[in-house]
Amino acid sequence: MNIIVRILVTSILVMVISYLMKGIVVDTFTTALTVAVVLGLLNFFVKPVLVLFTLPITIFTLGLFYLVVNAIIILLCDKLVDGFDVSSFWTALFFSIVLSISQSLVYKLTESKK
């Protein structure tokens, strides 16, 4: 159940960010749901490989290259999902930063105290 809520939250955030940010186009809410699922799969399968291959650069840049890896994941999602368009690398970089921060805030605010 938790993963369904996270996918819905991510898809809502993708829609809101695309509405507020130039250079990001999401056609429908179904497209945003697809983007959320594809981003989750890319983060689970592709991102660890990219992080492993770029580890020396990431260490050299004190972790800042990790932002580039996130932007590459967004651009891969752009290529895989019809109806989701990212205009440039810099837009993908900024989108990944805003999406990560907003996801962290929403998850922190909605986490249940046990």
Side-chain angles (χ1 to χ4, degrees):
M1 188 65 164
N2 192 17
I3 193 161
I4 294 171
V5 172
R6 285 184 176 258
I7 289 172
L8 287 173
V9 166
T10 302
S11 59
I12 291 168
L13 289 173
V14 166
M15 286 295 290
V16 168
I17 294 168
S18 71
Y19 179 74
L20 297 173
M21 193 171 149
K22 290 183 180 180
I24 303 289
V25 177
V26 178
D27 290 341
T28 62
F29 186 72
T30 308
T31 304
L33 279 171
T34 308
V35 167
V37 171
V38 170
L39 278 177
L41 291 172
L42 287 172
N43 283 332
F44 188 75
F45 291 110
V46 177
K47 194 175 196 176
V49 176
L50 283 175
V51 169
L52 184 65
F53 285 139
T54 61
L55 193 59
I57 298 169
T58 305
I59 291 170
F60 182 70
T61 61
L62 302 175
L64 289 177
F65 195 77
Y66 197 67
L67 296 172
V68 173
V69 172
N70 285 339
I72 291 169
I73 294 294
I74 298 293
L75 291 173
L76 279 173
C77 186
D78 173 29
K79 298 298 180 198
L80 294 174
V81 178
D82 292 332
F84 177 61
D85 186 45
V86 180
S87 63
S88 69
F89 171 79
W90 296 108
T91 305
L93 182 72
F94 188 62
F95 177 77
S96 71
I97 292 169
V98 171
L99 183 63
S100 297
I101 291 171
S102 58
Q103 280 177 328
S104 296
L105 288 174
V106 169
Y107 295 153
K108 186 67 173 173
L109 292 174
T110 59
E111 78 180 8
S112 61
K113 304 284 181 179
K114 291 186 180 181

